[in-house]
Amino acid sequence: MKLIAPSVLSADFGHLADDLEMINRSEADWLHIDVMDGTFVPNISFGFPLMVPFRKYCSKPLDVHLMIVHPEKYVERFCDAGAWSVGFHLEAVDDPIPVLNLIKAKGVRTCLTINPDIDVKRLVPYLDKVDMVLLMSVFAGFGGQKFIPETMDKIRFIRSEIDKRGLNTLIEIDGGVNTGNAAELFAAGADVLVAGSAVFGAKDPEEAIRTMKKVQ
């Protein structure tokens, strides 16, 4: 599976409707929405108010990535705001199961995320309890960072664990993704690539998306 989820964090918010219409026309599969609270990560992005135009102007599924403390307080509201998938960080909670259950109760897909400094093996007990795992290939909080090469080994490890168990759990990668490394990421076992500046900063964003999807 080769899915592309452009990150709206890199969009031009002065022309948001235009950028969302570009996503609609493109071969992108989802729209990735990074929510930052300034506490879990050293940056602040956006919250519930912007879910309205995202949902109004974008016809693609909304893939919400919560980089926040206390996700249990907010996951239901993001589900109600139109999220198709809601992910949160394993390191932000003591026990992810109750939070996953809140999302599932809303009929929304679940995702569990880790930062690069978290042992990837900590995801293994939850692989059969989530729809997707998100491996950050940069440290959460800012766009435009360089891809961390060690992520490749983590992808291969998680892919082997998923396949060993016969699961349909997807692997999503976020951070430093571009047309130059998309093929290697998919080959390692990734299913979904989040791309921000590689899409919205490209001369031809639709072609950048098409190129990443068509890699062999």
Side-chain angles (χ1 to χ4, degrees), residues 109-153:
R109 296 173 66 88
T110 57
C111 177
L112 199 55
T113 308
I114 57 169
N115 260 314
D117 58 342
I118 303 300
D119 189 346
V120 69
K121 294 179 180 178
R122 288 182 58 185
L123 287 174
V124 172
Y126 307 105
L127 291 178
D128 62 344
K129 299 174 175 61
V130 296
D131 295 297
M132 182 166 67
V133 291
L134 168 54
L135 306 181
M136 291 299 300
S137 42
V138 300
F139 281 91
F142 293 92
Q145 299 180 62
K146 290 185 178 181
F147 180 84
I148 296 174
E150 289 77 13
T151 307
M152 290 297 182
D153 289 334

Side-chain angles (χ1 to χ4, degrees), residues 9-207:
L9 186 66
S10 296
D12 180 354
F13 280 80
H15 301 88
L16 182 59
D18 293 337
D19 277 357
L20 294 179
E21 184 54 39
M22 179 276 293
I23 295 298
N24 293 341
R25 292 193 310 268
S26 77
E27 295 182 30
D29 299 280
W30 305 342
L31 181 70
H32 188 79
I33 301 171
D34 289 306
V35 178
M36 308 177 190
D37 65 358
T39 300
F40 182 74
V41 293
N43 201 3
I44 296 174
S45 58
F46 35 70
F48 302 111
L50 275 177
M51 288 294 291
V52 176
F54 294 155
R55 181 67 286 157
K56 179 178 180 181
Y57 294 106
C58 186
S59 61
K60 304 294 175 83
L62 303 184
D63 176 37
V64 176
H65 173 198
L66 301 179
M67 307 180 205
I68 65 174
V69 296
H70 303 301
E72 69 279 1
K73 295 182 178 179
Y74 304 103
V75 292
E76 291 173 300
R77 287 184 64 188
F78 277 101
C79 292
D80 292 339
W84 178 82
S85 172
V86 173
F88 61 94
H89 279 255
L90 177 61
E91 59 267 37
V93 296
D94 293 326
D95 181 1
I97 298 300
V99 190
L100 293 171
N101 288 339
L102 289 174
I103 300 169
K104 290 178 181 179
K106 291 289 186 176
V108 172
R109 296 173 66 88
T110 57
C111 177
L112 199 55
T113 308
I114 57 169
N115 260 314
D117 58 342
I118 303 300
D119 189 346
V120 69
K121 294 179 180 178
R122 288 182 58 185
L123 287 174
V124 172
Y126 307 105
L127 291 178
D128 62 344
K129 299 174 175 61
V130 296
D131 295 297
M132 182 166 67
V133 291
L134 168 54
L135 306 181
M136 291 299 300
S137 42
V138 300
F139 281 91
F142 293 92
Q145 299 180 62
K146 290 185 178 181
F147 180 84
I148 296 174
E150 289 77 13
T151 307
M152 290 297 182
D153 289 334
K154 296 180 180 180
I155 298 171
R156 295 185 186 100
F157 171 78
I158 288 295
R159 170 51 59 199
S160 67
E161 293 295 320
I162 289 171
D163 291 347
K164 187 190 307 180
R165 292 163 173 74
L167 302 173
N168 295 318
T169 310
L170 300 180
I171 300 173
E172 185 174 35
I173 307 300
D174 184 0
V177 172
N178 54 54
T179 55
N181 60 18
E184 188 178 4
L185 288 165
F186 282 132
D191 299 292
V192 188
L193 303 185
V194 176
S197 54
V199 170
F200 290 103
K203 183 176 181 180
D204 186 341
E206 292 181 61
E207 179 60 27

